[in-house]
Amino acid sequence: MSTRGGGGDGSAGSPCVDRMMPLSVLLKRELTSEKIETPDIFHGLASRSKKGEDFTFLKTECQRVPGNGLTTFAVFAIFDGHNGSNAAIYTKENLLNNILCAVPSDLNRDEWLAALPRALVAGFIKTDKDFQSKAQTSGTTVTFVIIDGWTVTVASVGDSRCILESAEGSLFLLSADHRLDDNKEEVERITASGGEVGKLNLAGGIEIGPLRCWPGGLCLSRSIGDMDVGEFIIPIPHVKQVKLSNAGGRLIISSDGVWDALSFESAVDFSRGLPADIAANKIVKEAVLLKGLRDDTTCIVVDLLPPEKIPTSVTLPKKQGMRGLKRMLGKRASDSPSHHSVRNYFEPYAVEELYEDGSAVLAQRSV
């Protein structure tokens, strides 16, 4: 865990330099450090049920070190089940513990954050393995968000998604979309491994519906569970870790019931200027109005704000001519229908990319 206060920055010079500074300067430094490390977090949840297979996990008072309130982090997650709800429920109940068990003990905060991407991969794999041992055939998408200070780490399998609007007004996609229709890299991975990808084939050679992986016919390439659909559907998540500036930002985490109806920019625009709870309800309402309640439709909105900021007055600015969806996934060639054009510019000091990997061999790599 990083220390606060004067001195100790490792720079050359007299150890008495800080004592020569006015007290007001030292106090300002302390306050600035506090703001950078500990944003205020406000969240809202809204959901409309069609199949009863969407589940959420919201916990704002997790602790890296039990009993130490200075090691608090928050978790927000969506589990969108299919072929039943068992996988979603099991994953909701066990994934966080499996992730934390994969983090080495006695790490400071920076070391813990550095170890978190690998721990997320290990936690997803263990959860999938343990659930499949129960011989149940349902599956679930997962978008799992951990917030520690201004650092946001997202692990995802399936087609629920997490976007970030920074306080500077830029959009970032922090999750991956593992729908075969929208991810050419995943189609290539499956076919290169000997799997088959194609649409449902009716009599007479007529093909209908989305691309699916055979055997099993699942239209997603990654999930937890789904033991009946073959070896090509894997539980290894795409992991992305970013650090926000202390100006903050807004996360929108939603199941495909939202994203099938709304573009990323539409979701942000509908919720702009609203506190998190009202924003989540607004996004779900607009999605259902546009497409009808065809699927479970769930949205979590999370605001990370400087401590002095009043949540009801937050209005993330819209930068005309500067805003654009920045996926921060340069290797990804394919976009879903809800993706807007990607801007190539990077706005310095707004959001810093710390880690990104979606490789299927991530579990064998060192971080």
Side-chain angles (χ1 to χ4, degrees), residues 8-272:
D9 61 358
S11 60
S14 168
C16 298
V17 168
D18 277 345
R19 287 182 236 162
M20 310 272 301
M21 293 183 180
L23 178 60
S24 60
V25 174
L26 294 178
L27 289 175
K28 183 176 181 180
R29 177 183 296 179
E30 177 72 15
L31 288 172
T32 301
S33 175
E34 178 70 21
K35 291 176 186 177
I36 291 174
E37 292 186 9
T38 56
D40 284 341
I41 298 176
F42 303 90
H43 67 274
L45 166 66
S47 186
R48 291 283 302 277
S49 179
K50 176 70 173 181
K51 302 175 183 178
E53 295 175 341
D54 271 10
F55 294 86
T56 59
F57 183 91
L58 299 84
K59 189 171 182 180
T60 59
E61 296 295 327
C62 306
Q63 293 178 345
R64 288 182 282 111
V65 180
N68 185 345
L70 297 178
T71 66
T72 298
F73 64 95
V75 178
F76 302 93
I78 286 181
F79 313 89
D80 182 357
H82 46 264
N83 299 325
S85 60
N86 288 337
I89 294 172
Y90 182 87
T91 304
K92 172 183 176 177
E93 293 176 348
N94 293 278
L95 180 55
L96 177 58
N97 183 63
N98 289 338
I99 293 166
L100 296 180
C101 287
V103 181
S105 59
D106 301 325
L107 299 183
N108 64 33
R109 181 175 178 270
D110 290 340
E111 292 168 339
W112 188 85
L113 286 170
L116 190 54
R118 268 190 80 80
L120 282 158
V121 174
F124 272 62
I125 293 172
K126 177 171 173 53
T127 304
D128 176 75
K129 182 178 179 180
D130 291 349
F131 178 72
Q132 293 206 27
S133 70
K134 299 180 178 297
Q136 298 177 353
T137 58
S138 64
T140 187
T141 75
V142 182
T143 298
F144 201 87
V145 180
I146 293 179
I147 302 172
D148 190 329
W150 296 103
T151 300
V152 178
T153 309
V154 181
S156 60
V157 292
D159 58 0
S160 297
R161 301 170 204 161
C162 174
I163 63 172
L164 162 69
E165 184 182 29
S166 70
E168 293 79 5
S170 299
L171 291 184
F172 302 88
L173 176 59
L174 301 187
S175 58
D177 188 346
H178 294 128
R179 269 189 202 177
L180 291 170
D181 267 336
D182 301 318
N183 196 318
K184 294 179 181 178
E185 284 193 354
E186 286 295 275
V187 172
E188 292 169 359
R189 175 185 67 79
I190 290 172
T191 55
S193 301
E196 181 182 349
V197 175
K199 297 184 177 183
L200 183 63
N201 214 324
L202 299 180
I206 300 174
E207 294 184 336
I208 63 170
L211 288 177
R212 301 177 183 273
C213 179
W214 306 97
L218 191 66
C219 61
L220 304 173
S221 62
R222 304 195 187 196
S223 67
I224 287 180
D226 290 311
M227 67 174 296
D228 59 333
V229 298
E231 61 187 285
F232 307 110
I233 309 303
I234 59 174
I236 299 173
H238 171 272
V239 182
K240 184 126 189 111
Q241 188 175 72
V242 298
K243 186 173 184 180
L244 281 65
S245 72
N246 63 342
R250 165 167 285 182
L251 296 169
I252 300 177
I253 313 159
S254 298
S255 63
D256 64 335
V258 167
W259 304 125
D260 284 345
L262 303 179
S263 70
F264 298 139
E265 291 195 346
S266 293
V268 169
D269 288 341
F270 281 133
S271 62
R272 180 170 281 108

